[in-house]
């Protein structure tokens, strides 16, 4: 059912996505869908959380922090182009118009992903020659790390290029090393 919701969103867009369409694509009765989810937003939130848990996970590696950040930012950029990234973009857009969706998105997926991003960034920076960063600093650095990508994709409607990835990674590592306690 989650995959059916993903596929239909990509094919038809958020406005045309219906519970009936999801049920038909999944080959189940509409009542089955309603037993688990009350709306298409709830289904999309679940599919986003499931897909992002793996796709946006921080990967351990032996490279230096800047290379590790570049690798992670490329994964985030790739995610935006995948069906799961399109689900995220649709939900973020809908959240601008619907407070219940915004609250659910913030309390669930966005909070969980933020926690993973802060922990992942801290672990990556601890591998470098610098002093590492505390949780508060990492929280601020996550904004600086991911903000440019979200802006490029969500506001400008453009793909993330290699120059943005490289520049962002370099600046975040520099700030982490030179300005503890941002």
């Amino acid at each position: 059912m989650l995959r059916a919701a993903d596929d239909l969103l990509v094919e038809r867009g958020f406005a045309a996505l219906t519970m009936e369409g999801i049920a038909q694509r999944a080959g189940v009765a509409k009542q089955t869908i309603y037993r688990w989810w009350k709306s298409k937003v709830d289904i999309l939130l679940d599919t986003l959380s499931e897909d992002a848990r793996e796709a946006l996970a921080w990967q351990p590696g032996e490279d230096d922090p800047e290379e590790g950040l570049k690798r992670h930012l490329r994964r985030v950029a790739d995610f935006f182009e995948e069906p799961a990234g399109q689900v995220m973009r649709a939900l973020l857009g809908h959240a601008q118009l619907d407070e219940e969706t915004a609250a659910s998105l913030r309390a669930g997926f966005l909070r969980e992903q933020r926690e993973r991003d802060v922990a992942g960034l801290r672990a990556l920076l601890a591998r470098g020659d610098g002093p590492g960063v505390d949780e508060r600093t990492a929280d601020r650095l996550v904004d600086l790390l991911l903000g440019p990508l979200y802006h490029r994709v969500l506001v400008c409607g453009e793909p993330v290029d290699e120059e943005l990835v490289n520049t962002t990674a370099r600046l975040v590592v520099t700030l982490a090393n030179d300005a503890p306690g941002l």
Side-chain angles (χ1 to χ4, degrees):
M1 290 182 272
L2 297 177
R3 195 64 47 222
D6 262 359
D7 293 345
L8 285 171
L9 176 83
V10 171
E11 290 171 20
R12 300 181 184 168
F14 183 82
L17 182 66
T18 65
M19 296 292 269
E20 293 80 11
I22 295 168
Q24 184 178 16
R25 175 66 64 94
V28 300
K30 189 167 59 169
Q31 297 86 339
T32 302
I33 301 268
Y34 279 109
R35 264 187 231 132
W36 295 97
W37 299 279
K38 66 179 182 173
S39 71
K40 68 181 182 181
V41 168
D42 290 336
I43 295 173
L44 293 174
L45 286 168
D46 279 357
T47 189
L48 175 60
S49 291
E50 183 179 293
D51 291 342
R53 201 170 292 117
E54 181 180 331
L56 297 178
W58 288 74
Q59 301 296 312
E62 299 301 319
D63 43 12
D64 70 14
E66 188 173 327
E67 288 304 313
L69 285 180
K70 288 176 187 177
R71 191 167 25 89
H72 185 71
L73 290 174
R74 286 184 201 105
R75 289 186 68 175
V76 173
D78 290 345
F79 180 77
F80 278 120
E81 302 304 319
E82 297 170 2
Q86 293 178 31
V87 169
M88 183 172 73
R89 292 183 351 215
L91 286 169
L92 288 168
H94 186 65
Q96 303 308 304
L97 305 172
D98 182 79
E99 187 54 42
E100 187 176 331
T101 299
S104 294
L105 193 57
R106 288 181 188 123
F109 168 73
L110 292 174
R111 180 188 53 77
E112 293 165 6
Q113 187 59 46
R114 179 68 171 215
E115 291 169 0
R116 289 189 291 269
D117 288 336
V118 169
L121 180 60
R122 286 189 75 198
L124 188 138
L125 292 173
R127 290 197 316 247
D129 295 332
V133 296
D134 60 28
E135 190 160 342
R136 180 175 171 265
T137 301
D139 187 63
R140 288 194 163 100
L141 288 172
V142 164
D143 289 337
L144 298 172
L145 179 69
L146 298 174
L149 277 68
Y150 278 71
H151 183 269
R152 177 74 55 94
V153 171
L154 298 173
V155 176
C156 299
E158 297 175 9
V160 174
D161 60 29
E162 199 66 20
E163 183 179 359
L164 181 62
V165 165
N166 294 341
T167 301
T168 302
R170 184 176 59 254
L171 290 173
V172 167
V173 169
T174 299
L175 285 171
N177 290 331
D178 295 342
L182 289 172

